[in-house]
C-alpha cells in the first residue's frame, strides 16, 4: 500500500515521510541528516536513563533521605525511558532503511559504553553475577547415582563361608551325594594324601574347597575313633 509520503514496506528513497513533527519531512539529504541526529539523541538518551536506573542514580540528597521521593524519582526516570523507547519505535515505523540502521547502531553504541564502564569501574560485577547464578541454580544430582555402586568383575567366596561347600561336605559324609564337581573333588581329597595333591592352574577355588571338606571329614573320623576307644576302655574297666 502506498500513500502520499509513506510506504508500508522497507525502502531507501525519500518520500517526504514525517519524522515525529510536521515540520520535519524526509525530502532531501539535509532533512535526512536532521532526522538522523534526532534518532541518535533519542536512542542515546534512552540508554543513559536505563543505565541510571540500573545503578540507582539519585543526584539529589532529598531523594536519598526519603523512600517516597526516591520511588517517585525512579518512577519518573522509568517513564521517561519508556517514552523514548516508544519514540524510536515510531521512528522505525517510517520503514526508511537508513533510519532503522542508524537507530540500531545508536542503541548498540550506547550499550557498548555501558558495558565498558561497568567492566572498568566495577570488575567484580560480572563475577558476582555469575556467582549468584551458580548459587541460585546448583547442579542437581542424578537420582540413584549415590546409591549405585560398581559391581565387581569377579566374586570369590571362601569355602568356609560357602553354604554349598558345607552342604556338599555333609552329603559326602552321609553318603547322599551325586556326581557334581565339588563332590568329586571332596571324594578325591578323602582318598588321596593331602601332601601329594597337585595344584592345577585355574583350579584353586575347587582345590581349596576340597581341602577344607577333606579336613572336616578327617577331623570327624578321628573324633569318632576317639569316642570308640573311650567306650572300649570303659567296658573293660567294668569287667
Amino acid at each position: 500500500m502506498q500513500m502520499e509520503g509513506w510506504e508500508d514496506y522497507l525502502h531507501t528513497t525519500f518520500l517526504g515521510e514525517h519524522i515525529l513533527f510536521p515540520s520535519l519531512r524526509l525530502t532531501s539529504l539535509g532533512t535526512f541528516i536532521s532526522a538522523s541526529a534526532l534518532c541518535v539523541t533519542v536512542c542515546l538518551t534512552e540508554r543513559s536513563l536505563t543505565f541510571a536506573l540500573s545503578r540507582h542514580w539519585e543526584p539529589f540528597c532529598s531523594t536519598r533521605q526519603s523512600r517516597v521521593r526516591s520511588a517517585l524519582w525512579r518512577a519518573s526516570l522509568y517513564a521517561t525511558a519508556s517514552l523514548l523507547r516508544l519514540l524510536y519505535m515510531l521512528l522505525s515505523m517510517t520503514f526508511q532503511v537508513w533510519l532503522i540502521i542508524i537507530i540500531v547502531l545508536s542503541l548498540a553504541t550506547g550499550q557498548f559504553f555501558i558495558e565498558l564502564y561497568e567492566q572498568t569501574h566495577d570488575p567484580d560485577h560480572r563475577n558476582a553475577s555469575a556467582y549468584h547464578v551458580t548459587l541460585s541454580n546448583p547442579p542437581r544430582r542424578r537420582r540413584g547415582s549415590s546409591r549405585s555402586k560398581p559391581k565387581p568383575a569377579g566374586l570369590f567366596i571362601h569355602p568356609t563361608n560357602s553354604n554349598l561347600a558345607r552342604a556338599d561336605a555333609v552329603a559326602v559324609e552321609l553318603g547322599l551325594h551325586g556326581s557334581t564337581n565339588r563332590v568329586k573333588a571332596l571324594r578325591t581329597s578323602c582318598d588321596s594324601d593331602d601332601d601329594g595333591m597337585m595344584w592345577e592352574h585355574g583350579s584353586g577355588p575347587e582345590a581349596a574347597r576340597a581341602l577344607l571338606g577333606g579336613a572336616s571329614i578327617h577331623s570327624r573320623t578321628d573324633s569318632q575313633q576317639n569316642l570308640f576307644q573311650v567306650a572300649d576302655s570303659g567296658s573293660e574297666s567294668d569287667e
Side-chain angles (χ1 to χ4, degrees):
M1 182 177 65
Q2 183 175 0
M3 299 174 60
E4 184 180 358
W6 186 77
E7 291 182 356
D8 59 346
Y9 55 86
L10 296 175
H11 58 278
T12 57
T13 57
F14 301 145
L15 302 176
E17 300 94 334
H18 288 88
I19 306 300
L20 297 181
F21 304 103
S23 60
L24 184 57
R25 301 183 62 179
L26 289 179
T27 56
S28 62
L29 182 60
T31 56
F32 174 76
I33 294 174
S34 300
S36 300
L38 179 61
C39 292
V40 172
T41 303
V42 169
C43 294
L44 293 181
T45 306
E46 185 273 331
R47 286 288 85 196
S48 300
L49 292 179
T50 302
F51 176 70
L53 283 170
S54 64
R55 304 291 294 187
H56 298 274
W57 178 62
E58 295 180 1
F60 307 106
C61 296
S62 59
T63 58
R64 292 193 294 268
Q65 294 175 357
S66 174
R67 294 182 180 179
V68 177
R69 294 176 183 176
S70 177
L72 288 175
W73 169 255
R74 290 181 57 80
S76 62
L77 288 179
Y78 178 78
T80 307
S82 299
L83 178 61
L84 293 174
R85 292 164 188 163
L86 292 175
L87 288 179
Y88 65 67
M89 182 190 69
L90 293 175
L91 289 171
S92 62
M93 288 179 65
T94 58
F95 292 98
Q96 230 287 337
V97 174
W98 300 115
L99 281 183
I100 294 175
I101 293 175
I102 290 174
I103 291 171
V104 173
L105 292 178
S106 300
L107 293 174
T109 303
Q111 187 63 31
F112 168 76
F113 284 106
I114 290 174
E115 297 293 337
L116 185 62
Y117 178 86
E118 288 183 350
Q119 292 184 6
T120 303
H121 294 79
D122 193 5
D124 296 333
H125 177 72
R126 185 174 182 181
N127 297 330
S129 61
Y131 180 72
H132 176 70
V133 170
T134 304
L135 291 181
S136 59
N137 298 321
R140 297 180 179 179
R141 295 182 179 180
R142 296 181 180 178
R143 294 182 178 179
S145 60
S146 59
R147 297 181 180 179
S148 61
K149 296 181 179 179
K151 297 181 179 180
L155 185 63
F156 172 72
I157 301 176
H158 197 271
T160 57
N161 298 324
S162 175
N163 293 329
L164 294 176
R166 295 173 182 175
D168 290 339
V170 173
V172 170
E173 185 176 357
L174 297 178
L176 304 174
H177 57 82
S179 60
T180 61
N181 293 330
R182 283 189 293 271
V183 172
K184 291 180 179 179
L186 289 173
R187 295 180 62 186
T188 304
S189 64
C190 293
D191 296 338
S192 61
D193 188 14
D194 295 338
D195 297 335
M197 190 171 184
M198 299 299 294
W199 290 79
E200 297 180 359
H201 181 71
S203 63
E206 297 294 334
R209 295 190 187 99
L211 287 175
L212 290 175
S216 61
I217 293 174
H218 286 306
S219 61
R220 293 188 180 183
T221 304
D222 295 337
S223 62
Q224 291 176 359
Q225 291 178 359
N226 294 330
L227 180 61
F228 292 152
Q229 291 175 3
V230 171
D232 294 338
S233 61
S235 60
E236 290 176 358
S237 62
D238 292 337
E239 292 177 0

